[in-house]
Amino acid sequence: HDLVQYLIGSNTYRTLRQVQRPLLLVPAGYGYSEVRKVVFAYDYMKNGKLPLTQLVDVTRAWPCEITILQVCRESYTRAAEEKMISVQAQIRTLFPAAPLLFDTVYASEVVGTLHSYVERNAVDLLALCTEDHSFMEGLFHKSTIKAMSVIASYPVLITHE
């Protein structure tokens, strides 16, 4: 069973890496529900930007709130919080009409933390964004998107930078 899930996840991952449009992954047997709570997990602190355009375009027709979730692997510092507040202000300026909320979770393990957050907060849709990696980065990078596409029991929207 785990091998089958891994292989399906690998095929899904290969497909989404080739497609540059947003891709919605819906688990088999998932029943319809309205999308009211969207969580967009993205490391805007590391990247200094937030590729929200595709997500805002896709969700514009839905009356939903979008929570931008930052998973911090380092422990809390006042300097990091100040930088986070500054980046959040810039994001709000770029997307003034979007219903954005911000949340931060401190954890060393990203995939399990995201999965728990989505389930605990009754999230209707998890949004993730692909990132381009150099060949060397790709050798050592564990893909959050690939792992989430295997374990998610809820819809996952994949956007691209």
Side-chain angles (χ1 to χ4, degrees):
H1 179 60
D2 288 342
L3 177 62
V4 171
Q5 280 189 309
Y6 177 79
L7 291 174
I8 290 170
S10 296
N11 289 333
T12 301
Y13 183 70
R14 267 196 299 281
T15 301
L16 71 89
R17 295 293 297 165
Q18 295 171 357
V19 176
Q20 289 304 305
R21 298 199 182 280
L23 182 65
L24 181 62
L25 307 176
V26 180
Y30 187 83
Y32 172 80
S33 67
E34 289 190 42
V35 177
R36 298 207 184 274
K37 285 180 87 171
V38 176
V39 168
F40 182 41
Y42 190 78
D43 192 352
Y44 60 87
M45 291 295 291
K46 178 182 94 177
N47 297 318
K49 62 184 167 76
L50 187 63
L52 261 178
T53 305
Q54 285 186 339
L55 178 62
V56 169
D57 288 347
V58 168
T59 59
R60 187 170 283 135
W62 304 329
C64 64
E65 66 181 31
I66 301 171
T67 299
I68 310 301
L69 180 64
Q70 172 72 50
V71 178
C72 292
R73 291 182 177 166
E74 295 84 33
S75 25
Y76 171 85
T77 65
R78 181 75 182 139
E81 182 181 8
E82 289 171 1
K83 180 181 177 191
M84 201 176 306
I85 290 169
S86 172
V87 173
Q88 289 172 1
Q90 292 171 6
I91 292 166
R92 286 188 194 283
T93 302
L94 293 172
F95 299 93
L100 300 178
L101 304 169
F102 291 89
D103 200 359
T104 306
V105 176
Y106 293 89
S108 59
E109 203 278 311
V110 175
V111 172
T113 300
L114 285 178
H115 186 64
S116 295
Y117 185 94
V118 168
E119 291 191 335
R120 233 184 11 259
N121 292 284
V123 171
D124 301 307
L125 178 68
L126 174 64
L128 301 170
C129 184
T130 61
E131 293 181 49
D132 290 326
H133 295 284
S134 70
F135 175 73
M136 288 306 290
E137 287 174 321
L139 289 176
F140 299 102
H141 175 76
K142 181 182 175 198
S143 172
T144 299
I145 292 174
K146 184 176 183 178
M148 292 305 295
S149 71
V150 172
I151 67 166
S153 55
Y154 37 80
V156 178
L157 178 70
I158 310 298
T159 62
H160 305 276
E161 291 188 73

